[in-house]
């Protein structure tokens, strides 16, 4: 598999095969094929695997602390890699759709709810992204005072506040509606 990967760069690999290769680095000298299949069955997709929390990963037979940690680490690195690429291109917000791709990358691989504040210049250019808070799998606190204080101190022309729903549909909860 390693030789095939080096030659093809992953082209032609199925999801379980790529997971199998990743798991091999945390579980050497073991056939990780069945573990990869169990992860995909449990979480529904590669994205579901990387969005799963550390504790949820540990519930899958064959996944130990090292494997759960490498999966979470890999998900975090992918999110940062993609986010860094987006920031380097200079996001300019002119309509809500402009932020969708950026936010998808920002929340990629995150198993807990997080709230972010996107700080924009007067022209709509992204100047900074601030993690306001990290919660658990089902909720996150949103501190409006911290949000306003951050925007004022950093001289933001506009702000966008966002949070994710990693294990459910993007339907606002009662608390989401109150904060909004």
């Amino acid at each position: 598999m390693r030789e095939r990967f080096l030659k093809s760069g992953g082209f032609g690999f199925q999801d379980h095969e790529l997971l199998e290769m990743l798991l091999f680095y945390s579980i050497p000298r073991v056939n990780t094929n069945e573990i990869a299949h169990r992860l995909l069955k449990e979480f529904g997709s590669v994205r579901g695997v990387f969005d799963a929390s550390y504790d949820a990963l540990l519930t899958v037979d064959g996944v130990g602390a090292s494997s759960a940690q490498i999966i979470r680490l890999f998900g975090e690195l992918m999110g940062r890699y993609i986010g860094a690429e987006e920031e380097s291109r200079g996001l300019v917000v002119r309509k809500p759709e402009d932020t969708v791709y950026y936010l998808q990358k920002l929340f990629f691989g995150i198993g807990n709810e997080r709230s972010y504040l996107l700080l924009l210049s007067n022209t709509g250019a992204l100047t900074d992204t601030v993690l306001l808070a990290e919660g658990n799998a089902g909720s996150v606190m949103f501190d409006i005072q911290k949000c306003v204080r951050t925007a004022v101190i950093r001289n933001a022309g506009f702000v966008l506040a966002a949070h994710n729903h990693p294990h459910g549909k993007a339907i606002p909860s009662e608390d989401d509606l109150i904060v909004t």
Side-chain angles (χ1 to χ4, degrees), residues 104-166:
Q104 286 176 333
K105 303 310 176 194
L106 188 66
F107 292 124
F108 179 83
I110 305 301
N112 293 328
E113 285 198 17
R114 286 185 179 176
S115 61
Y116 281 97
L117 189 65
L118 280 62
L119 304 175
L120 308 170
S121 71
N122 287 330
T123 61
L126 179 68
T127 59
D128 202 359
T129 302
V130 178
L131 175 64
L132 292 173
E134 182 163 4
N136 57 37
S139 67
V140 64
M141 295 299 297
F142 190 87
D143 185 341
I144 294 173
Q145 289 180 348
K146 182 178 180 181
C147 178
V148 172
R149 187 171 44 252
T150 301
V152 170
I153 289 171
R154 304 224 184 149
N155 199 28
F158 299 96
V159 297
L160 294 172
H163 84 279
N164 61 332
H165 289 223

Side-chain angles (χ1 to χ4, degrees), residues 9 12 22 25 27 33 42 48-49 61 63 71 88-89 104 111 114 116 122 141-145 150-151 176:
L22 178 64
Y25 292 99
I27 315 170
N33 181 279
E42 177 68 24
V49 171
D61 187 35
V63 176
I71 290 169
S88 70
R89 285 193 277 159
Q104 286 176 333
R114 286 185 179 176
Y116 281 97
N122 287 330
M141 295 299 297
F142 190 87
D143 185 341
I144 294 173
Q145 289 180 348
T150 301
D176 293 343

